[in-house]
Amino acid sequence: MSEIRLVTATIDLVYEEVGTDSEKYELEFNEISETDEDSIGQWVKHAKIRGETNDNDAVMLNLLVELYRKIDKIELLLTKGYPKRLALAKEAFIESIGLEHFKLSTEGFEPGKHYYGRVEIATFPKREIAFFFEAIDSSLAKIEKMHVRDEKEWGYYMTACERAMIRQMKGLE
């Protein structure tokens, strides 16, 4: 196995062994991925395709879209309550991440077992990411399945953590 490159990160993980009943995990996995496919997201995509926006208002448009989504989320919370997520059996703290791997601060996995997990990464906007992974050893895991959009966000977050680590090593922070 080639060397796995990990950078320090601070992420809370909730997870559970998949076992034979993977349907409920697949349903939640797909549900979480659809949260960005709301009406405002579709409208923005179509406006961009039609050329109704230009490059210099992209940041402002993204901010407005996120504000709309937050208001929409508050409205849903007030009318329907919190979205129901699976109550996953275990919690752990991720101490370092790579593009396809992560390492827990303590031992919590059985090597060779397959798990489903959720994390919330501190990006703008905050992202809830669901993924399936396999335990390599008692604290190291390889991500097997993650949505493409979430892979990009995970990579951006890893890069941001790596930059912070480099700045800290240079004494700039």
Side-chain angles (χ1 to χ4, degrees), residues 133-151:
F133 59 94
E134 179 182 2
I136 295 173
D137 66 29
S138 60
S139 63
L140 182 67
K142 179 176 182 4
I143 298 170
E144 296 180 315
K145 183 177 178 183
M146 183 185 283
H147 293 285
V148 174
R149 180 196 79 236
D150 293 337
E151 286 176 1

PDB file of all heavy atoms in Angstrom, residues 133-151:
ATOM      1  N   PHE A 133     -17.551   3.962   4.244  1.00  0.00           N
ATOM      2  CA  PHE A 133     -16.111   3.750   4.361  1.00  0.00           C
ATOM      3  C   PHE A 133     -15.804   2.367   4.892  1.00  0.00           C
ATOM      4  O   PHE A 133     -16.669   1.697   5.450  1.00  0.00           O
ATOM      5  CB  PHE A 133     -15.458   4.831   5.235  1.00  0.00           C
ATOM      6  CG  PHE A 133     -15.979   4.918   6.643  1.00  0.00           C
ATOM      7  CD1 PHE A 133     -15.352   4.232   7.675  1.00  0.00           C
ATOM      8  CD2 PHE A 133     -17.072   5.709   6.949  1.00  0.00           C
ATOM      9  CE1 PHE A 133     -15.812   4.323   8.981  1.00  0.00           C
ATOM     10  CE2 PHE A 133     -17.544   5.807   8.252  1.00  0.00           C
ATOM     11  CZ  PHE A 133     -16.911   5.112   9.274  1.00  0.00           C
ATOM     12  N   GLU A 134     -14.549   1.955   4.673  1.00  0.00           N
ATOM     13  CA  GLU A 134     -14.072   0.664   5.161  1.00  0.00           C
ATOM     14  C   GLU A 134     -12.928   0.905   6.133  1.00  0.00           C
ATOM     15  O   GLU A 134     -12.046   1.727   5.867  1.00  0.00           O
ATOM     16  CB  GLU A 134     -13.581  -0.201   4.002  1.00  0.00           C
ATOM     17  CG  GLU A 134     -13.051  -1.550   4.452  1.00  0.00           C
ATOM     18  CD  GLU A 134     -12.516  -2.405   3.310  1.00  0.00           C
ATOM     19  OE1 GLU A 134     -12.509  -1.946   2.159  1.00  0.00           O
ATOM     20  OE2 GLU A 134     -12.093  -3.539   3.606  1.00  0.00           O
ATOM     21  N   ALA A 135     -12.950   0.182   7.232  1.00  0.00           N
ATOM     22  CA  ALA A 135     -11.883   0.304   8.225  1.00  0.00           C
ATOM     23  C   ALA A 135     -10.644  -0.435   7.736  1.00  0.00           C
ATOM     24  O   ALA A 135     -10.712  -1.606   7.383  1.00  0.00           O
ATOM     25  CB  ALA A 135     -12.339  -0.259   9.565  1.00  0.00           C
ATOM     26  N   ILE A 136      -9.511   0.266   7.711  1.00  0.00           N
ATOM     27  CA  ILE A 136      -8.228  -0.348   7.353  1.00  0.00           C
ATOM     28  C   ILE A 136      -7.601  -0.944   8.602  1.00  0.00           C
ATOM     29  O   ILE A 136      -7.073  -2.048   8.584  1.00  0.00           O
ATOM     30  CB  ILE A 136      -7.293   0.683   6.692  1.00  0.00           C
ATOM     31  CG1 ILE A 136      -7.899   1.136   5.362  1.00  0.00           C
ATOM     32  CG2 ILE A 136      -5.903   0.107   6.490  1.00  0.00           C
ATOM     33  CD1 ILE A 136      -7.167   2.261   4.685  1.00  0.00           C
ATOM     34  N   ASP A 137      -7.650  -0.180   9.683  1.00  0.00           N
ATOM     35  CA  ASP A 137      -7.240  -0.694  10.989  1.00  0.00           C
ATOM     36  C   ASP A 137      -8.193  -0.106  12.027  1.00  0.00           C
ATOM     37  O   ASP A 137      -9.235   0.422  11.672  1.00  0.00           O
ATOM     38  CB  ASP A 137      -5.753  -0.428  11.277  1.00  0.00           C
ATOM     39  CG  ASP A 137      -5.400   1.045  11.415  1.00  0.00           C
ATOM     40  OD1 ASP A 137      -6.264   1.854  11.826  1.00  0.00           O
ATOM     41  OD2 ASP A 137      -4.251   1.404  11.126  1.00  0.00           O
ATOM     42  N   SER A 138      -7.843  -0.167  13.283  1.00  0.00           N
ATOM     43  CA  SER A 138      -8.783   0.245  14.330  1.00  0.00           C
ATOM     44  C   SER A 138      -9.056   1.751  14.389  1.00  0.00           C
ATOM     45  O   SER A 138     -10.025   2.175  15.009  1.00  0.00           O
ATOM     46  CB  SER A 138      -8.300  -0.244  15.692  1.00  0.00           C
ATOM     47  OG  SER A 138      -7.030   0.312  15.972  1.00  0.00           O
ATOM     48  N   SER A 139      -8.226   2.558  13.724  1.00  0.00           N
ATOM     49  CA  SER A 139      -8.481   3.997  13.734  1.00  0.00           C
ATOM     50  C   SER A 139      -8.385   4.649  12.353  1.00  0.00           C
ATOM     51  O   SER A 139      -8.721   5.817  12.200  1.00  0.00           O
ATOM     52  CB  SER A 139      -7.512   4.701  14.693  1.00  0.00           C
ATOM     53  OG  SER A 139      -6.186   4.541  14.247  1.00  0.00           O
ATOM     54  N   LEU A 140      -7.962   3.912  11.343  1.00  0.00           N
ATOM     55  CA  LEU A 140      -7.798   4.452   9.994  1.00  0.00           C
ATOM     56  C   LEU A 140      -8.851   3.859   9.065  1.00  0.00           C
ATOM     57  O   LEU A 140      -9.121   2.664   9.111  1.00  0.00           O
ATOM     58  CB  LEU A 140      -6.392   4.130   9.457  1.00  0.00           C
ATOM     59  CG  LEU A 140      -6.043   4.660   8.075  1.00  0.00           C
ATOM     60  CD1 LEU A 140      -5.953   6.187   8.085  1.00  0.00           C
ATOM     61  CD2 LEU A 140      -4.729   4.058   7.597  1.00  0.00           C
ATOM     62  N   ALA A 141      -9.450   4.716   8.218  1.00  0.00           N
ATOM     63  CA  ALA A 141     -10.489   4.248   7.297  1.00  0.00           C
ATOM     64  C   ALA A 141     -10.284   4.832   5.908  1.00  0.00           C
ATOM     65  O   ALA A 141      -9.702   5.907   5.749  1.00  0.00           O
ATOM     66  CB  ALA A 141     -11.862   4.640   7.825  1.00  0.00           C
ATOM     67  N   LYS A 142     -10.788   4.108   4.921  1.00  0.00           N
ATOM     68  CA  LYS A 142     -10.751   4.546   3.528  1.00  0.00           C
ATOM     69  C   LYS A 142     -12.180   4.834   3.091  1.00  0.00           C
ATOM     70  O   LYS A 142     -13.063   3.992   3.222  1.00  0.00           O
ATOM     71  CB  LYS A 142     -10.149   3.478   2.633  1.00  0.00           C
ATOM     72  CG  LYS A 142     -10.103   3.877   1.159  1.00  0.00           C
ATOM     73  CD  LYS A 142      -9.407   2.840   0.330  1.00  0.00           C
ATOM     74  CE  LYS A 142      -9.267   3.136  -1.133  1.00  0.00           C
ATOM     75  NZ  LYS A 142      -9.692   4.348  -1.685  1.00  0.00           N
ATOM     76  N   ILE A 143     -12.399   6.025   2.566  1.00  0.00           N
ATOM     77  CA  ILE A 143     -13.720   6.416   2.079  1.00  0.00           C
ATOM     78  C   ILE A 143     -13.989   5.668   0.775  1.00  0.00           C
ATOM     79  O   ILE A 143     -13.190   5.731  -0.156  1.00  0.00           O
ATOM     80  CB  ILE A 143     -13.805   7.937   1.871  1.00  0.00           C
ATOM     81  CG1 ILE A 143     -13.583   8.660   3.204  1.00  0.00           C
ATOM     82  CG2 ILE A 143     -15.147   8.314   1.254  1.00  0.00           C
ATOM     83  CD1 ILE A 143     -13.409  10.145   3.094  1.00  0.00           C
ATOM     84  N   GLU A 144     -15.112   4.966   0.731  1.00  0.00           N
ATOM     85  CA  GLU A 144     -15.469   4.178  -0.445  1.00  0.00           C
ATOM     86  C   GLU A 144     -16.469   4.883  -1.346  1.00  0.00           C
ATOM     87  O   GLU A 144     -16.402   4.761  -2.559  1.00  0.00           O
ATOM     88  CB  GLU A 144     -16.065   2.834  -0.021  1.00  0.00           C
ATOM     89  CG  GLU A 144     -15.103   1.949   0.709  1.00  0.00           C
ATOM     90  CD  GLU A 144     -15.745   0.640   1.110  1.00  0.00           C
ATOM     91  OE1 GLU A 144     -16.890   0.640   1.616  1.00  0.00           O
ATOM     92  OE2 GLU A 144     -15.094  -0.397   0.901  1.00  0.00           O
ATOM     93  N   LYS A 145     -17.426   5.594  -0.742  1.00  0.00           N
ATOM     94  CA  LYS A 145     -18.492   6.209  -1.534  1.00  0.00           C
ATOM     95  C   LYS A 145     -18.882   7.543  -0.914  1.00  0.00           C
ATOM     96  O   LYS A 145     -19.241   7.613   0.256  1.00  0.00           O
ATOM     97  CB  LYS A 145     -19.694   5.268  -1.585  1.00  0.00           C
ATOM     98  CG  LYS A 145     -20.837   5.762  -2.432  1.00  0.00           C
ATOM     99  CD  LYS A 145     -21.941   4.714  -2.455  1.00  0.00           C
ATOM    100  CE  LYS A 145     -23.141   5.180  -3.249  1.00  0.00           C
ATOM    101  NZ  LYS A 145     -24.225   4.194  -3.212  1.00  0.00           N
ATOM    102  N   MET A 146     -18.788   8.595  -1.745  1.00  0.00           N
ATOM    103  CA  MET A 146     -19.163   9.937  -1.332  1.00  0.00           C
ATOM    104  C   MET A 146     -19.695  10.634  -2.582  1.00  0.00           C
ATOM    105  O   MET A 146     -19.220  10.357  -3.680  1.00  0.00           O
ATOM    106  CB  MET A 146     -17.923  10.669  -0.779  1.00  0.00           C
ATOM    107  CG  MET A 146     -18.190  12.054  -0.242  1.00  0.00           C
ATOM    108  SD  MET A 146     -16.667  12.920   0.270  1.00  0.00           S
ATOM    109  CE  MET A 146     -16.292  12.147   1.818  1.00  0.00           C
ATOM    110  N   HIS A 147     -20.645  11.515  -2.431  1.00  0.00           N
ATOM    111  CA  HIS A 147     -21.174  12.242  -3.585  1.00  0.00           C
ATOM    112  C   HIS A 147     -20.078  13.105  -4.203  1.00  0.00           C
ATOM    113  O   HIS A 147     -19.213  13.624  -3.487  1.00  0.00           O
ATOM    114  CB  HIS A 147     -22.353  13.111  -3.181  1.00  0.00           C
ATOM    115  CG  HIS A 147     -23.534  12.314  -2.757  1.00  0.00           C
ATOM    116  ND1 HIS A 147     -24.337  11.649  -3.641  1.00  0.00           N
ATOM    117  CD2 HIS A 147     -24.036  12.051  -1.532  1.00  0.00           C
ATOM    118  CE1 HIS A 147     -25.289  11.018  -2.988  1.00  0.00           C
ATOM    119  NE2 HIS A 147     -25.118  11.236  -1.701  1.00  0.00           N
ATOM    120  N   VAL A 148     -20.116  13.269  -5.509  1.00  0.00           N
ATOM    121  CA  VAL A 148     -19.089  14.027  -6.231  1.00  0.00           C
ATOM    122  C   VAL A 148     -18.965  15.441  -5.675  1.00  0.00           C
ATOM    123  O   VAL A 148     -17.864  15.937  -5.430  1.00  0.00           O
ATOM    124  CB  VAL A 148     -19.402  14.058  -7.744  1.00  0.00           C
ATOM    125  CG1 VAL A 148     -18.435  14.961  -8.483  1.00  0.00           C
ATOM    126  CG2 VAL A 148     -19.371  12.663  -8.324  1.00  0.00           C
ATOM    127  N   ARG A 149     -20.093  16.091  -5.442  1.00  0.00           N
ATOM    128  CA  ARG A 149     -20.093  17.452  -4.904  1.00  0.00           C
ATOM    129  C   ARG A 149     -19.397  17.481  -3.530  1.00  0.00           C
ATOM    130  O   ARG A 149     -18.624  18.377  -3.227  1.00  0.00           O
ATOM    131  CB  ARG A 149     -21.532  17.943  -4.788  1.00  0.00           C
ATOM    132  CG  ARG A 149     -21.673  19.340  -4.245  1.00  0.00           C
ATOM    133  CD  ARG A 149     -23.098  19.617  -3.785  1.00  0.00           C
ATOM    134  NE  ARG A 149     -23.271  19.011  -2.472  1.00  0.00           N
ATOM    135  CZ  ARG A 149     -24.212  18.142  -2.168  1.00  0.00           C
ATOM    136  NH1 ARG A 149     -25.070  17.753  -3.050  1.00  0.00           N
ATOM    137  NH2 ARG A 149     -24.290  17.640  -0.951  1.00  0.00           N
ATOM    138  N   ASP A 150     -19.670  16.450  -2.729  1.00  0.00           N
ATOM    139  CA  ASP A 150     -19.073  16.378  -1.401  1.00  0.00           C
ATOM    140  C   ASP A 150     -17.585  16.056  -1.466  1.00  0.00           C
ATOM    141  O   ASP A 150     -16.813  16.510  -0.614  1.00  0.00           O
ATOM    142  CB  ASP A 150     -19.797  15.338  -0.546  1.00  0.00           C
ATOM    143  CG  ASP A 150     -21.231  15.751  -0.239  1.00  0.00           C
ATOM    144  OD1 ASP A 150     -21.525  16.959  -0.289  1.00  0.00           O
ATOM    145  OD2 ASP A 150     -22.049  14.859   0.048  1.00  0.00           O
ATOM    146  N   GLU A 151     -17.164  15.283  -2.462  1.00  0.00           N
ATOM    147  CA  GLU A 151     -15.734  15.003  -2.644  1.00  0.00           C
ATOM    148  C   GLU A 151     -14.965  16.307  -2.851  1.00  0.00           C
ATOM    149  O   GLU A 151     -13.877  16.486  -2.300  1.00  0.00           O
ATOM    150  CB  GLU A 151     -15.510  14.085  -3.849  1.00  0.00           C
ATOM    151  CG  GLU A 151     -15.891  12.649  -3.613  1.00  0.00           C
ATOM    152  CD  GLU A 151     -15.752  11.791  -4.865  1.00  0.00           C
ATOM    153  OE1 GLU A 151     -15.345  12.313  -5.932  1.00  0.00           O
ATOM    154  OE2 GLU A 151     -16.060  10.592  -4.776  1.00  0.00           O
TER     155      GLU A 151
END
